[in-house]
Amino acid sequence: MGTILITSATLVSAGHPLHLTSVDVLVKNGKIEKIGKSVKAEGKVQEINGKGSFLSVGFFDLNVNFGEPGYETKEDIQTGTAAAASGGFTGVAVHPNTNPPIHSRSEVSLIVNTAKGNLVDVFPVGAVSKKREGNELAELFDMKINGAVAFSDGNRSVQQAGLMGRALLYAKGFQGLIMTFPQDESIAAGNKMNEGEVSTYLGMKGIPNLAESIMVSRDLFLAEYNESPIHFSTISTEESVDLIKKAKAKGIQVTCDVAAHNLVFTDEDVKSFDSHYKVSPPLRTKRDVKALIKGLKDGVIDAVVSQHTPHEIEFKEVEFQIAKDGIIASQTVLPLLIKAGFNPESIVEKLAENPRKVLNLPVPQLVEGEDANLVLFSMDKKWTLDNNSNKSKSTNSPLFGKELTGQVLATINNNQVIIN
């Protein structure tokens, strides 16, 4: 990487003595050599002008989907991490929606070894159940000692309460974390969008908020009973925010996250029948979006995720009803958070600091002598997600071809740098 000097950037790091002040940062051989008001560098230096931009520790994504193994035509680890790095992420938790699923030490080791030497640190999330079928516990501890940072059945919810209870109790014994996607399939019934006025208008069967909140309620009871920590991934409803708020006040060990697109888009966007707005959980109402944003600002919701889910064109350029759920999102989280009204401090808290705390991973420090794990981002620079800027193999995003406000300028980690 050589030597890099970032100049005149506003540092965002709560508790840091230089928080919200303009600083220069000298990075040499992958480490922060000097940080201060005016830093001089000798020899050959790559200078990055950070004036008007913000500098923080690299972002961390708690929910990404790469295709490897089995679905490499959607995304492999190299292209997935390229998209993540372009979006400012220096760490990602990759979910087990693969073929075979990440449900044993073999798949965990594959992910860990394939991702070695990458700018982006890749952390596998092992499946809770074998084959993600929800019938039998996977070898959780075996995956943990081989590199899994948490356990989830990905985009499938564990329907059996007994299995979920056993998973919580077992993982608790070795400080493992169960991450759950809350959706009662008997209520969701395979439907395709949010249940409400818009679904009625469109004549499309909907998924009610109840399908999510009833599972949140169930799993909170199970976590409380087993005195185990639990993390809810991609909540989307006002009711879920309220349930988790009350559980936190009660002392239950619960954390949660929300996908960035659920903070901006609503079921009104589905009126176009554009399948790029088809996601799981579905886009909800304006009232839900308002509650989610308030939940983030109040600290009920701990983190924001991309829920990056790439698909080949033949799975999205079809009728809404038969299209696959999901969008590519690693590069567009920052613009969506800006559009949702979040300031740089909140963005860093929800994208860089809290996600690592959820997984009990160390938060990188912006001090001299530490490894440089950094992101430089602009809140007002405009850019377009298109074939030139897109790093993913896939193009399934409602934002493709549109001008966005807010861009990651540079990402530094593991003695590597990418500049957008």
Side-chain angles (χ1 to χ4, degrees):
M1 185 177 77
T3 303
I4 291 176
L5 179 63
I6 301 171
T7 61
S8 305
T10 300
L11 187 72
V12 183
S13 179
H16 195 287
L18 297 175
H19 179 50
L20 296 183
T21 64
S22 178
V23 299
D24 296 349
V25 179
L26 181 65
V27 178
K28 189 172 182 180
N29 297 324
K31 292 189 177 293
I32 299 174
E33 184 163 284
K34 189 73 175 175
I35 182 168
K37 295 288 186 182
S38 182
V39 175
K40 304 298 181 185
E42 298 179 356
K44 187 177 180 180
V45 178
Q46 180 181 5
E47 187 170 317
I48 301 174
N49 185 359
K51 189 172 183 179
S53 302
F54 298 87
L55 182 71
S56 77
V57 299
F59 300 152
F60 191 102
D61 198 341
L62 285 170
N63 189 324
V64 299
N65 296 287
F66 298 159
E68 196 168 352
Y71 297 126
E72 288 86 354
T73 52
K74 299 178 186 291
E75 195 87 280
D76 57 38
I77 289 172
Q78 292 306 311
T79 57
T81 53
S86 183
F89 294 98
T90 57
V92 297
V94 60
H95 281 235
N97 305 320
T98 53
N99 184 28
I102 307 171
H103 66 162
S104 74
R105 64 188 300 174
S106 299
E107 295 82 27
V108 170
S109 297
L110 171 69
I111 301 293
V112 170
N113 291 328
T114 304
K116 277 182 180 176
N118 206 294
L119 183 151
V120 179
D121 299 315
V122 179
F123 299 89
V125 175
V128 171
S129 65
K130 291 183 178 179
K131 299 182 181 180
R132 297 196 303 132
E133 292 176 345
N135 298 319
E136 184 181 355
L137 276 184
E139 295 291 346
L140 306 187
F141 181 68
D142 204 23
M143 288 190 282
K144 170 79 170 180
I145 62 177
N146 281 278
V149 290
F151 306 97
S152 167
D153 272 354
N155 58 2
R156 296 179 185 174
S157 181
V158 177
Q159 298 300 300
Q160 292 187 25
L163 183 69
M164 175 58 82
R166 290 191 294 275
L168 288 164
L169 186 60
Y170 180 43
K172 171 188 171 183
F174 55 86
Q175 290 76 53
L177 176 67
I178 301 296
M179 304 173 75
T180 179
F181 167 59
Q183 181 167 283
D184 187 306
E185 296 300 340
S186 67
I187 296 175
N191 296 333
K192 308 302 180 182
M193 68 171 294
N194 179 64
E195 181 183 272
E197 291 181 10
V198 177
S199 66
T200 303
Y201 169 76
L202 296 176
M204 198 180 300
K205 291 181 179 179
I207 302 172
N209 286 19
L210 180 65
E212 177 174 301
S213 57
I214 201 168
M215 288 298 273
V216 170
S217 180
R218 184 202 76 172
D219 288 348
L220 285 172
F221 274 119
L222 290 170
E224 182 180 24
Y225 179 79
N226 290 290
E227 298 181 345
S228 302
I230 191 168
H231 179 84
F232 291 99
S233 192
T234 62
I235 65 168
S236 66
T237 69
E238 179 184 25
E239 293 88 345
S240 293
V241 175
D242 186 54
L243 286 165
I244 293 169
K245 181 179 181 179
K246 290 175 180 175
K248 285 190 171 188
K250 196 176 179 181
I252 297 173
Q253 302 172 67
V254 56
T255 53
C256 63
D257 64 57
V258 60
H261 47 261
N262 282 102
L263 300 172
V264 174
F265 304 127
T266 70
D267 58 357
E268 294 280 344
D269 293 295
V270 180
K271 286 181 177 179
S272 64
F273 288 106
D274 183 349
S275 63
H276 292 115
Y277 289 107
K278 189 180 181 188
V279 291
S280 180
L283 301 176
R284 302 290 187 181
T285 65
K286 291 179 181 178
R287 178 169 176 164
D288 290 306
V289 169
K290 185 177 179 180
L292 292 168
I293 291 173
K294 186 176 187 300
L296 277 165
K297 292 181 177 179
D298 291 347
V300 177
I301 302 175
D302 300 273
V304 175
V305 301
S306 72
Q307 202 188 23
H308 178 79
T309 307
H311 287 299
E312 302 92 336
I313 190 170
E314 60 265 29
F315 290 108
K316 293 298 273 190
E317 297 295 325
V318 291
E319 293 87 350
F320 192 94
Q321 290 277 43
I322 61 174
K324 292 286 188 181
D325 297 322
I327 62 175
I328 58 167
S330 290
Q331 292 178 253
T332 55
V333 174
L334 177 65
L336 287 178
L337 280 179
I338 292 170
K339 190 171 183 178
F342 289 89
N343 61 30
E345 289 178 272
S346 296
I347 289 170
V348 170
E349 179 190 14
K350 303 301 183 182
L351 281 187
E353 296 167 356
N354 283 2
R356 291 180 169 94
K357 292 175 182 177
V358 167
L359 294 177
N360 289 316
L361 296 173
V363 179
Q365 299 299 305
L366 294 173
V367 297
E368 293 171 8
E370 291 290 323
D371 291 336
N373 187 323
L374 307 168
V375 59
L376 180 70
F377 61 95
S378 167
M379 296 286 287
D380 50 27
K381 186 174 181 180
K382 298 186 183 300
W383 64 289
T384 301
L385 179 67
D386 54 23
N387 288 326
N388 292 322
S389 60
N390 179 39
K391 305 300 180 185
S392 172
K393 281 187 178 182
S394 301
T395 59
N396 54 302
S397 169
L399 297 172
F400 209 84
K402 296 182 180 178
E403 186 179 70
L404 306 172
T405 300
Q407 185 179 28
V408 171
L409 306 178
T411 310
I412 299 174
N413 189 37
N414 294 333
N415 201 13
Q416 299 172 61
V417 59
I418 66 106
I419 298 174
N420 288 327

